Amino acid sequence: MDKFDTLTGIAAPMPMINIDTDMIIPKQFLKTIKRSGLGVNLFDEMRYDDDGAEIPTFVLNQDAYRDAEILVAGDNFGCGSSREHAPWAIKDFGIRCVIAPSFADIFFNNCFKNGILPIALPQEQVDVLMKDAEKGSNARMSIDLDAQTITTSDGEVFTFDVDPFKKHCLMNGLDDIGLTMEKSAAIDSFETAASQARPWV
């Protein structure tokens, strides 16, 4: 998993509330077990019409936001079914951070496991960041995970809370497998001792 320390990039405004995981990645794209290739179908039903053509009014189809790395969204982001394909699609598109007033718990935790930083902030602060994001590609937002700060294009700074263990994992690029591999020496030692003590196993 990629390490996350600082990020400066374009923020896309998506003020809708209750964006669920089926809106993030519709069910017909859940057949794959690969984490790559889903970005093209992120928000599929909002991005494309029935003929597969882009809907020009959708934010990520607009030239200013095609390279967005931050998403500023409405309340209760990631609600609905607990599909891990949702953060896979977000990450594959190129978005590394989602900011919203609140998140569904399972989606929130899945973000950390896939290298995405979800930040929950009070609505009034999200409103300021939403307005900043609406300025387009010339207004770049900066996020410092170590300092736990968000800086707007105008220099206004907000602080955010993050669980220390989840912060450690993101900053060191550790998913569940990576965390296990940190204990590889202890695991090898245990297996060696176990095989000597119980050679019949």
Side-chain angles (χ1 to χ4, degrees), residues 102-170:
S102 68
F103 295 85
D105 288 343
I106 294 176
F107 174 84
F108 184 80
N109 290 319
N110 280 339
C111 280
F112 284 101
K113 294 179 180 181
N114 288 281
I116 300 167
L117 174 62
I119 299 175
L121 290 175
Q123 183 65 59
E124 58 270 21
Q125 294 182 11
V126 173
D127 290 342
V128 173
L129 296 174
M130 192 75 71
K131 288 186 180 299
D132 195 50
E134 289 170 356
K135 296 176 182 177
S137 57
N138 291 326
R140 293 178 177 260
M141 204 172 287
S142 295
I143 296 161
D144 187 325
L145 177 54
D146 188 33
Q148 295 178 208
T149 59
I150 304 170
T151 305
T152 70
S153 63
D154 295 324
E156 189 170 1
V157 179
F158 297 106
T159 60
F160 61 89
D161 294 326
V162 61
D163 177 83
F165 176 71
K166 289 181 170 66
K167 177 179 177 178
H168 167 80
C169 290
L170 263 186

Side-chain angles (χ1 to χ4, degrees), residues 33-44:
I33 57 171
K34 296 180 180 179
R35 299 187 185 196
S36 59
L38 289 170
V40 68
N41 301 115
L42 177 68
F43 299 117
D44 190 86

